[in-house]
Amino acid sequence: MNAKDPEKLFLEKVQDFLDRGTENLGNRTERRLEEIRGQALMAAAQKRSSFLPPRRWVLAGSFAMVTLAAVGLFLWLSPSTETLPAGEIEDLEIITSQERIDFYQNLDFYRWLGSKEDHLRPNGKGL
Amino acid sequence: MKSVRYGWQTETKDPMESNLDSKEMMNRFLAEVERRAFQMAKFATGHRDEALDLVQETMLQFVRRYSLRPRQEWKVLFYRVLRSRITDWYRRTFVRRKILAWLGRPEEEDAEDPLQSLPDTGNPNPSDHVIRQEERGLLEKGIRALPPRQQQAFLLRAWEGMDLKQTAFIMKCSEGSVKTHYSRAVHTLRALLEGIYS
């Protein structure tokens, strides 16, 4: 130590003063600090038991990601083999068409009417 | 897994610590820092009970947030939490004082610490004892009277031996600000004690 350095001397005095201040805090304060430390240790133990270690989080996360990627890849690569049955397509046309529903209920009548009209208009003329 | 590394971190690791279980390591660490943390909080608040409350809040918050972090990071993280709690205390006190002033009630006087009036039995030389007591009183008042940021920078650098990077991380400011706060605090305290040392 450079004895002539007033700042070092000053800092040593300050450190000595501050260290002495922690030596005897009094029984009440020391007991209270022990209690506080005990509470903190309990909280730390709870935290440790409620969480997986970080390494296990990484393993669990990696496993979940790999599984998700495999399922996604399988679904993307597998060709769609399902075909809609013909009856379902007809129903779909009826539902999506803008015709009124009674048109489909009387479809036989309109077919008959259509054939009659064709019969009356042999050259696209008539009616 | 590679943990986040802060600028102040070093590679040093105590080989003895690998043999301890995590609870014992935490117990030792808290026992090591609790007295200084209490003194720092007491310098900030001026009250024993409020300082103890701040230490309690700090310890609980520290273990909940950082107990799973590597041991070599604990000290800096602990003081970062303590600094944050002290800053919150300043804010709360400021609001309380404003409300009390608005209500027209006088502020409570700081209670005198009875330990301060006890004689220092560790020093047998009476003349030296008088100077020491005078020094202590002046230093204590001087440190308490420092602005909060200067007080924090001074205690962390001069007492805890934190370097600039660590202090800047704890105080959430730049290294330049730490230098400024610290040098102002040293200048103020040295000027205060000049009469004794000269």
PDB file of all heavy atoms in Angstrom, chain B residues 77-94:
ATOM      1  N   LEU B  77     -26.312 -10.252  -8.703  1.00  0.00           N
ATOM      2  CA  LEU B  77     -27.773 -10.266  -8.858  1.00  0.00           C
ATOM      3  C   LEU B  77     -28.463  -9.891  -7.542  1.00  0.00           C
ATOM      4  O   LEU B  77     -29.477  -9.176  -7.545  1.00  0.00           O
ATOM      5  CB  LEU B  77     -28.250 -11.641  -9.346  1.00  0.00           C
ATOM      6  CG  LEU B  77     -27.830 -11.993 -10.775  1.00  0.00           C
ATOM      7  CD1 LEU B  77     -28.112 -13.462 -11.067  1.00  0.00           C
ATOM      8  CD2 LEU B  77     -28.539 -11.115 -11.786  1.00  0.00           C
ATOM      9  N   PHE B  78     -27.912 -10.355  -6.429  1.00  0.00           N
ATOM     10  CA  PHE B  78     -28.491 -10.022  -5.125  1.00  0.00           C
ATOM     11  C   PHE B  78     -28.461  -8.504  -4.903  1.00  0.00           C
ATOM     12  O   PHE B  78     -29.476  -7.901  -4.517  1.00  0.00           O
ATOM     13  CB  PHE B  78     -27.701 -10.725  -4.011  1.00  0.00           C
ATOM     14  CG  PHE B  78     -28.210 -10.425  -2.632  1.00  0.00           C
ATOM     15  CD1 PHE B  78     -29.258 -11.143  -2.084  1.00  0.00           C
ATOM     16  CD2 PHE B  78     -27.666  -9.392  -1.880  1.00  0.00           C
ATOM     17  CE1 PHE B  78     -29.745 -10.854  -0.823  1.00  0.00           C
ATOM     18  CE2 PHE B  78     -28.142  -9.093  -0.614  1.00  0.00           C
ATOM     19  CZ  PHE B  78     -29.182  -9.827  -0.090  1.00  0.00           C
ATOM     20  N   TYR B  79     -27.318  -7.887  -5.176  1.00  0.00           N
ATOM     21  CA  TYR B  79     -27.224  -6.441  -4.957  1.00  0.00           C
ATOM     22  C   TYR B  79     -28.058  -5.664  -5.973  1.00  0.00           C
ATOM     23  O   TYR B  79     -28.506  -4.560  -5.691  1.00  0.00           O
ATOM     24  CB  TYR B  79     -25.760  -5.984  -4.958  1.00  0.00           C
ATOM     25  CG  TYR B  79     -25.097  -6.307  -3.639  1.00  0.00           C
ATOM     26  CD1 TYR B  79     -24.101  -7.258  -3.533  1.00  0.00           C
ATOM     27  CD2 TYR B  79     -25.509  -5.676  -2.468  1.00  0.00           C
ATOM     28  CE1 TYR B  79     -23.520  -7.575  -2.316  1.00  0.00           C
ATOM     29  CE2 TYR B  79     -24.936  -5.986  -1.252  1.00  0.00           C
ATOM     30  CZ  TYR B  79     -23.950  -6.932  -1.181  1.00  0.00           C
ATOM     31  OH  TYR B  79     -23.400  -7.238   0.038  1.00  0.00           O
ATOM     32  N   ARG B  80     -28.266  -6.253  -7.105  1.00  0.00           N
ATOM     33  CA  ARG B  80     -29.147  -5.601  -8.093  1.00  0.00           C
ATOM     34  C   ARG B  80     -30.582  -5.578  -7.566  1.00  0.00           C
ATOM     35  O   ARG B  80     -31.288  -4.577  -7.680  1.00  0.00           O
ATOM     36  CB  ARG B  80     -29.078  -6.344  -9.427  1.00  0.00           C
ATOM     37  CG  ARG B  80     -29.779  -5.631 -10.575  1.00  0.00           C
ATOM     38  CD  ARG B  80     -29.464  -6.402 -11.839  1.00  0.00           C
ATOM     39  NE  ARG B  80     -30.424  -6.222 -12.878  1.00  0.00           N
ATOM     40  CZ  ARG B  80     -30.207  -5.489 -13.978  1.00  0.00           C
ATOM     41  NH1 ARG B  80     -29.083  -4.858 -14.135  1.00  0.00           N
ATOM     42  NH2 ARG B  80     -31.118  -5.403 -14.924  1.00  0.00           N
ATOM     43  N   VAL B  81     -31.005  -6.692  -6.968  1.00  0.00           N
ATOM     44  CA  VAL B  81     -32.355  -6.740  -6.388  1.00  0.00           C
ATOM     45  C   VAL B  81     -32.442  -5.766  -5.202  1.00  0.00           C
ATOM     46  O   VAL B  81     -33.419  -5.024  -5.074  1.00  0.00           O
ATOM     47  CB  VAL B  81     -32.714  -8.177  -5.934  1.00  0.00           C
ATOM     48  CG1 VAL B  81     -34.070  -8.203  -5.239  1.00  0.00           C
ATOM     49  CG2 VAL B  81     -32.728  -9.127  -7.111  1.00  0.00           C
ATOM     50  N   LEU B  82     -31.416  -5.756  -4.365  1.00  0.00           N
ATOM     51  CA  LEU B  82     -31.413  -4.851  -3.207  1.00  0.00           C
ATOM     52  C   LEU B  82     -31.511  -3.392  -3.658  1.00  0.00           C
ATOM     53  O   LEU B  82     -32.290  -2.604  -3.110  1.00  0.00           O
ATOM     54  CB  LEU B  82     -30.146  -5.060  -2.368  1.00  0.00           C
ATOM     55  CG  LEU B  82     -29.994  -4.139  -1.150  1.00  0.00           C
ATOM     56  CD1 LEU B  82     -31.087  -4.398  -0.122  1.00  0.00           C
ATOM     57  CD2 LEU B  82     -28.623  -4.317  -0.489  1.00  0.00           C
ATOM     58  N   ARG B  83     -30.738  -3.037  -4.672  1.00  0.00           N
ATOM     59  CA  ARG B  83     -30.770  -1.664  -5.184  1.00  0.00           C
ATOM     60  C   ARG B  83     -32.173  -1.306  -5.687  1.00  0.00           C
ATOM     61  O   ARG B  83     -32.689  -0.227  -5.420  1.00  0.00           O
ATOM     62  CB  ARG B  83     -29.750  -1.484  -6.313  1.00  0.00           C
ATOM     63  CG  ARG B  83     -29.601  -0.049  -6.776  1.00  0.00           C
ATOM     64  CD  ARG B  83     -29.316   0.005  -8.255  1.00  0.00           C
ATOM     65  NE  ARG B  83     -30.338  -0.654  -9.041  1.00  0.00           N
ATOM     66  CZ  ARG B  83     -31.482  -0.087  -9.414  1.00  0.00           C
ATOM     67  NH1 ARG B  83     -31.753   1.154  -9.081  1.00  0.00           N
ATOM     68  NH2 ARG B  83     -32.365  -0.771 -10.120  1.00  0.00           N
ATOM     69  N   SER B  84     -32.785  -2.276  -6.355  1.00  0.00           N
ATOM     70  CA  SER B  84     -34.132  -2.052  -6.882  1.00  0.00           C
ATOM     71  C   SER B  84     -35.133  -1.848  -5.737  1.00  0.00           C
ATOM     72  O   SER B  84     -36.000  -0.975  -5.798  1.00  0.00           O
ATOM     73  CB  SER B  84     -34.506  -3.260  -7.733  1.00  0.00           C
ATOM     74  OG  SER B  84     -35.835  -3.219  -8.088  1.00  0.00           O
ATOM     75  N   ARG B  85     -35.001  -2.650  -4.668  1.00  0.00           N
ATOM     76  CA  ARG B  85     -35.905  -2.523  -3.501  1.00  0.00           C
ATOM     77  C   ARG B  85     -35.695  -1.166  -2.816  1.00  0.00           C
ATOM     78  O   ARG B  85     -36.645  -0.521  -2.391  1.00  0.00           O
ATOM     79  CB  ARG B  85     -35.637  -3.639  -2.476  1.00  0.00           C
ATOM     80  CG  ARG B  85     -35.858  -5.057  -2.931  1.00  0.00           C
ATOM     81  CD  ARG B  85     -37.303  -5.429  -3.098  1.00  0.00           C
ATOM     82  NE  ARG B  85     -37.772  -5.126  -4.422  1.00  0.00           N
ATOM     83  CZ  ARG B  85     -38.970  -4.686  -4.739  1.00  0.00           C
ATOM     84  NH1 ARG B  85     -39.869  -4.472  -3.819  1.00  0.00           N
ATOM     85  NH2 ARG B  85     -39.303  -4.449  -5.981  1.00  0.00           N
ATOM     86  N   ILE B  86     -34.438  -0.755  -2.711  1.00  0.00           N
ATOM     87  CA  ILE B  86     -34.136   0.533  -2.068  1.00  0.00           C
ATOM     88  C   ILE B  86     -34.721   1.679  -2.895  1.00  0.00           C
ATOM     89  O   ILE B  86     -35.308   2.617  -2.343  1.00  0.00           O
ATOM     90  CB  ILE B  86     -32.608   0.702  -1.860  1.00  0.00           C
ATOM     91  CG1 ILE B  86     -32.127  -0.247  -0.753  1.00  0.00           C
ATOM     92  CG2 ILE B  86     -32.261   2.137  -1.495  1.00  0.00           C
ATOM     93  CD1 ILE B  86     -30.615  -0.296  -0.576  1.00  0.00           C
ATOM     94  N   THR B  87     -34.596   1.579  -4.201  1.00  0.00           N
ATOM     95  CA  THR B  87     -35.169   2.616  -5.081  1.00  0.00           C
ATOM     96  C   THR B  87     -36.687   2.681  -4.900  1.00  0.00           C
ATOM     97  O   THR B  87     -37.261   3.773  -4.827  1.00  0.00           O
ATOM     98  CB  THR B  87     -34.809   2.327  -6.557  1.00  0.00           C
ATOM     99  OG1 THR B  87     -33.400   2.188  -6.655  1.00  0.00           O
ATOM    100  CG2 THR B  87     -35.273   3.442  -7.469  1.00  0.00           C
ATOM    101  N   ASP B  88     -37.327   1.510  -4.818  1.00  0.00           N
ATOM    102  CA  ASP B  88     -38.782   1.480  -4.576  1.00  0.00           C
ATOM    103  C   ASP B  88     -39.119   2.124  -3.235  1.00  0.00           C
ATOM    104  O   ASP B  88     -40.119   2.824  -3.107  1.00  0.00           O
ATOM    105  CB  ASP B  88     -39.296   0.032  -4.584  1.00  0.00           C
ATOM    106  CG  ASP B  88     -39.433  -0.512  -5.976  1.00  0.00           C
ATOM    107  OD1 ASP B  88     -39.279   0.270  -6.932  1.00  0.00           O
ATOM    108  OD2 ASP B  88     -39.682  -1.716  -6.124  1.00  0.00           O
ATOM    109  N   TRP B  89     -38.272   1.867  -2.239  1.00  0.00           N
ATOM    110  CA  TRP B  89     -38.507   2.457  -0.913  1.00  0.00           C
ATOM    111  C   TRP B  89     -38.435   3.986  -0.999  1.00  0.00           C
ATOM    112  O   TRP B  89     -39.257   4.683  -0.407  1.00  0.00           O
ATOM    113  CB  TRP B  89     -37.467   1.935   0.089  1.00  0.00           C
ATOM    114  CG  TRP B  89     -37.650   2.502   1.457  1.00  0.00           C
ATOM    115  CD1 TRP B  89     -38.453   2.029   2.438  1.00  0.00           C
ATOM    116  CD2 TRP B  89     -37.056   3.710   1.967  1.00  0.00           C
ATOM    117  NE1 TRP B  89     -38.382   2.852   3.548  1.00  0.00           N
ATOM    118  CE2 TRP B  89     -37.537   3.890   3.279  1.00  0.00           C
ATOM    119  CE3 TRP B  89     -36.159   4.648   1.439  1.00  0.00           C
ATOM    120  CZ2 TRP B  89     -37.158   4.964   4.078  1.00  0.00           C
ATOM    121  CZ3 TRP B  89     -35.794   5.720   2.232  1.00  0.00           C
ATOM    122  CH2 TRP B  89     -36.279   5.878   3.535  1.00  0.00           C
ATOM    123  N   TYR B  90     -37.449   4.504  -1.741  1.00  0.00           N
ATOM    124  CA  TYR B  90     -37.347   5.964  -1.910  1.00  0.00           C
ATOM    125  C   TYR B  90     -38.619   6.525  -2.542  1.00  0.00           C
ATOM    126  O   TYR B  90     -39.128   7.561  -2.126  1.00  0.00           O
ATOM    127  CB  TYR B  90     -36.143   6.325  -2.788  1.00  0.00           C
ATOM    128  CG  TYR B  90     -34.824   6.359  -2.055  1.00  0.00           C
ATOM    129  CD1 TYR B  90     -33.779   5.527  -2.424  1.00  0.00           C
ATOM    130  CD2 TYR B  90     -34.615   7.226  -0.990  1.00  0.00           C
ATOM    131  CE1 TYR B  90     -32.564   5.547  -1.757  1.00  0.00           C
ATOM    132  CE2 TYR B  90     -33.394   7.260  -0.317  1.00  0.00           C
ATOM    133  CZ  TYR B  90     -32.380   6.409  -0.708  1.00  0.00           C
ATOM    134  OH  TYR B  90     -31.184   6.439  -0.041  1.00  0.00           O
ATOM    135  N   ARG B  91     -39.130   5.804  -3.555  1.00  0.00           N
ATOM    136  CA  ARG B  91     -40.351   6.277  -4.234  1.00  0.00           C
ATOM    137  C   ARG B  91     -41.528   6.294  -3.263  1.00  0.00           C
ATOM    138  O   ARG B  91     -42.279   7.263  -3.195  1.00  0.00           O
ATOM    139  CB  ARG B  91     -40.680   5.363  -5.425  1.00  0.00           C
ATOM    140  CG  ARG B  91     -39.732   5.544  -6.578  1.00  0.00           C
ATOM    141  CD  ARG B  91     -40.312   4.903  -7.838  1.00  0.00           C
ATOM    142  NE  ARG B  91     -39.277   4.844  -8.856  1.00  0.00           N
ATOM    143  CZ  ARG B  91     -38.722   3.729  -9.303  1.00  0.00           C
ATOM    144  NH1 ARG B  91     -39.113   2.570  -8.848  1.00  0.00           N
ATOM    145  NH2 ARG B  91     -37.788   3.764 -10.230  1.00  0.00           N
ATOM    146  N   ARG B  92     -41.690   5.186  -2.527  1.00  0.00           N
ATOM    147  CA  ARG B  92     -42.805   5.090  -1.572  1.00  0.00           C
ATOM    148  C   ARG B  92     -42.705   6.186  -0.524  1.00  0.00           C
ATOM    149  O   ARG B  92     -43.688   6.837  -0.177  1.00  0.00           O
ATOM    150  CB  ARG B  92     -42.786   3.722  -0.875  1.00  0.00           C
ATOM    151  CG  ARG B  92     -43.253   2.568  -1.707  1.00  0.00           C
ATOM    152  CD  ARG B  92     -43.682   1.395  -0.826  1.00  0.00           C
ATOM    153  NE  ARG B  92     -42.657   0.984   0.098  1.00  0.00           N
ATOM    154  CZ  ARG B  92     -41.758   0.031  -0.138  1.00  0.00           C
ATOM    155  NH1 ARG B  92     -41.769  -0.589  -1.304  1.00  0.00           N
ATOM    156  NH2 ARG B  92     -40.870  -0.312   0.757  1.00  0.00           N
ATOM    157  N   THR B  93     -41.489   6.416  -0.006  1.00  0.00           N
ATOM    158  CA  THR B  93     -41.275   7.422   1.031  1.00  0.00           C
ATOM    159  C   THR B  93     -41.584   8.819   0.489  1.00  0.00           C
ATOM    160  O   THR B  93     -42.188   9.637   1.184  1.00  0.00           O
ATOM    161  CB  THR B  93     -39.815   7.357   1.529  1.00  0.00           C
ATOM    162  OG1 THR B  93     -39.540   6.024   1.887  1.00  0.00           O
ATOM    163  CG2 THR B  93     -39.604   8.251   2.730  1.00  0.00           C
ATOM    164  N   PHE B  94     -41.198   9.041  -0.745  1.00  0.00           N
ATOM    165  CA  PHE B  94     -41.448  10.347  -1.359  1.00  0.00           C
ATOM    166  C   PHE B  94     -42.947  10.617  -1.418  1.00  0.00           C
ATOM    167  O   PHE B  94     -43.413  11.692  -1.038  1.00  0.00           O
ATOM    168  CB  PHE B  94     -40.833  10.363  -2.770  1.00  0.00           C
ATOM    169  CG  PHE B  94     -41.075  11.636  -3.517  1.00  0.00           C
ATOM    170  CD1 PHE B  94     -40.346  12.777  -3.235  1.00  0.00           C
ATOM    171  CD2 PHE B  94     -42.054  11.705  -4.505  1.00  0.00           C
ATOM    172  CE1 PHE B  94     -40.565  13.960  -3.921  1.00  0.00           C
ATOM    173  CE2 PHE B  94     -42.287  12.876  -5.199  1.00  0.00           C
ATOM    174  CZ  PHE B  94     -41.540  14.013  -4.904  1.00  0.00           C
TER     175      PHE B  94
END
